[in-house]
Amino acid sequence: AFEAEKLVPITSKYNHLVTSFGLKVMSPVYDLMQQILDAGVASGQKFSVDPRPLDKNVPANFLQKLVFNKFMYTKQDFYEKQLKELGLMNDDAFTCTCYMDQVGNQPKKGDILSWAESSAVVYANSVLGARCNRNSGIIDIMGSIVGYVPYFGLLTDEGRKATWVVKVETTKKPEAQLLGSAIGMKV
């Protein structure tokens, strides 16, 4: 159970944000970020962020380019400017795999994080031994700004204990995606 008054300090060097898309419909996000910036608030940590929605090196036809650039992602440049002002690590810090060596956002074992990117949270908890709940977008940056996160779930020793034991008996190595789906459906 979550105790509202129980917060713990974030101990990782960097944060990672999930919200990277400059979708026109996300104006409340841009408004909130602008209020934060106008108030002179900055992230307590530099951060990486999920991938950009568009890559000029990925082929797209005329219609796709028109829809993506003129209708869907019209706020991309504006939002990236806000991210830089708030504390983006660098111009290339757009990735779901922020823990890779070339990105440099690899928390240490036991570090407390405020991340929201689901695959990065799983990797940080399972492989690196860091501690992070899968926060919602925007909560990730708020934790970084205040330097604290609520203490519950995967941040606690109790919350990290397994509740299922999965025993796989097979004569050959199964496809990872199929095995994961089968386990998920069964559990």
Side-chain angles (χ1 to χ4, degrees), residues 9-10 32 36 71 77 83-84 120 128 138-139 158 161 169:
I10 294 169
L32 176 62
I36 290 168
F71 297 101
D77 291 340
L83 291 173
K84 287 175 187 175
L128 301 177
I138 303 301
I139 294 297
E158 186 66 28
K161 290 182 180 174
E169 294 178 7

Side-chain angles (χ1 to χ4, degrees), residues 77 118 130 156 159:
D77 291 340
S118 56
T156 69

Side-chain angles (χ1 to χ4, degrees), residues 106-141:
Q106 189 174 92
K108 296 182 200 84
K109 183 176 183 177
D111 269 350
I112 304 295
L113 315 175
S114 181
W115 291 7
E117 164 51 46
S118 56
S119 65
V121 168
V122 169
Y123 189 88
N125 278 300
S126 302
V127 178
L128 301 177
R131 291 177 175 242
C132 187
N133 291 308
R134 194 300 187 184
N135 296 309
S136 63
I138 303 301
I139 294 297
D140 50 12
I141 191 63

